[in-house]
Amino acid sequence: MGAQIVVDGSSGAVVARGADHRDCDTAPVCKPRPATITLSGATEHVYDVHVPRNVTVSGLRSGAKLTIDQIAPESRNPAPGPETGRLDSNGRDLFAIGGRIQAPAGATPDSYLGELRVTVFYY
């Protein structure tokens, strides 16, 4: 049985199942958390965010591959529709991206690197 760490994009909550990540609990650089992106533009404009549903990351030392799935963006100022946000009266919004990391049993501790393409359509 492997392990998984789920990071909720809207709340930032972290749930670890079968994973021992206590070494990162006090180190801000590796503590699990959602990615956040700030947008700015014309007030009250709507935007859509598109991200892949999963990506593969590679261990920098080991070369091991892990999958991050269930990737989803969450706006702090959501508009009607999935993956849609609205800039506020100051022309700003923040969205967070969460997902689930799944590590197979016996995975080697490592730092992992991958690419997540984020596309924003601004209306």
Side-chain angles (χ1 to χ4, degrees), residues 105-123:
T108 304
D110 202 342
S111 294
Y112 290 83
L113 181 65
E115 182 177 297
L116 176 67
R117 293 183 185 261
V118 177
T119 305
V120 177
F121 295 95
Y122 178 77
Y123 304 102

Side-chain angles (χ1 to χ4, degrees), residues 2 5 7 13-14 29 40 45 52 54-55 57 59 69 73 89 99-100 103 109 112:
I5 297 174
V7 179
V14 176
V29 72
S40 61
H45 275 238
N54 58 62
V55 295
V57 295
D69 64 4
S89 60
R100 179 178 68 174
Y112 290 83

Side-chain angles (χ1 to χ4, degrees), residues 4-6 14-21:
Q4 60 179 259
I5 297 174
V6 179
V14 176
V15 177
R17 294 181 184 100
D20 183 2
H21 68 286

Side-chain angles (χ1 to χ4, degrees), residues 1-2 14 19 30-32 35-37 46-47 63 68 73-74 77 86-88 98 101 109 112-113 115-116 122:
M1 176 77 175
V14 176
C30 70
K31 184 174 180 160
T36 56
I37 299 172
V46 173
Y47 66 89
I68 301 174
E74 293 283 339
N77 189 27
R86 181 182 306 276
L87 300 179
D88 64 17
I101 300 170
Y112 290 83
L113 181 65
E115 182 177 297
L116 176 67
Y122 178 77

Side-chain angles (χ1 to χ4, degrees), residues 26-80:
T26 58
V29 72
C30 70
K31 184 174 180 160
R33 64 193 177 281
T36 56
I37 299 172
T38 301
L39 295 176
S40 61
T43 61
E44 306 298 330
H45 275 238
V46 173
Y47 66 89
D48 292 335
V49 178
H50 293 262
V51 294
R53 294 293 170 229
N54 58 62
V55 295
T56 301
V57 295
S58 300
L60 297 178
R61 292 182 300 279
S62 66
K65 307 282 188 210
L66 293 180
T67 297
I68 301 174
D69 64 4
Q70 297 182 4
I71 298 171
E74 293 283 339
S75 169
R76 297 296 188 247
N77 189 27

